[in-house]
Amino acid sequence: MDTIYTAEALATGGGRNGHVRTADGLIDTDVRIPKEMGGAGGAPNPELLFAAGYAACFHSALQSVARAQKITLGETSVGTRVGIGPNGQGGFGLSVELEVVIPDMPHDEAQALAEAAEKVCPYSNATRGNIETVVRVVED
């Protein structure tokens, strides 16, 4: 792979109860374990950051696939839910639900477009076979 961009980040101060900062300073925030996992909450956590990144990346892939297929999209959106829980092997695993909204397109066509985007999205390619992922088209 010819790398065209590299993102750099550093975590300090205790992992899930610490601080993260990107080399360019665009992200510079405390992170906290969510209340649902027994933490204090009140700050981003790795799953929130992953969900935001995956949503943006998948949305870009959706638009790219549509352009390649010469499909004009209106206002679309991609929502993500990233779950975390015990993996049955003494550790934890993630699950992802991607909810794609493509107004004014028949459901079957929209689902096919979303599935094509799943094939090219870098996040999907990185997690395929490692994380249970569901891609579904939903109404606005």
Side-chain angles (χ1 to χ4, degrees):
M1 179 179 89
D2 292 328
T3 302
I4 57 174
Y5 171 75
T6 301
E8 295 181 46
L10 178 66
T12 58
R16 288 180 166 274
N17 280 314
H19 193 86
V20 293
R21 184 180 191 287
T22 56
D24 58 13
L26 292 174
I27 297 174
D28 189 355
T29 186
D30 287 339
V31 290
R32 296 285 176 262
I33 296 172
K35 289 181 181 181
E36 296 85 348
M37 293 177 66
N45 60 65
E47 291 70 39
L48 282 174
L49 297 170
F50 183 70
Y54 206 153
C57 188
F58 195 91
H59 198 202
S60 182
L62 182 73
Q63 293 169 335
S64 176
V65 167
R67 276 191 306 276
Q69 294 182 16
K70 302 199 180 341
I71 297 170
T72 301
L73 296 177
E75 289 293 318
T76 59
S77 64
V78 175
T80 54
R81 288 187 185 90
V82 173
I84 185 170
N87 66 5
Q89 300 170 5
F92 289 85
L94 299 175
S95 64
V96 172
E97 293 180 43
L98 294 153
E99 290 190 345
V100 179
V101 176
I102 307 174
D104 304 319
M105 181 179 280
H107 185 271
D108 290 347
E109 290 176 34
Q111 187 67 43
L113 190 65
E115 289 171 10
E118 196 274 336
K119 302 269 187 279
V120 300
C121 173
Y123 275 60
S124 294
N125 288 334
T127 60
R128 189 173 295 112
N130 299 310
I131 294 177
E132 179 183 329
T133 302
V134 174
V135 179
R136 91 174 43 92
V137 170
V138 297
E139 300 298 316
D140 190 13

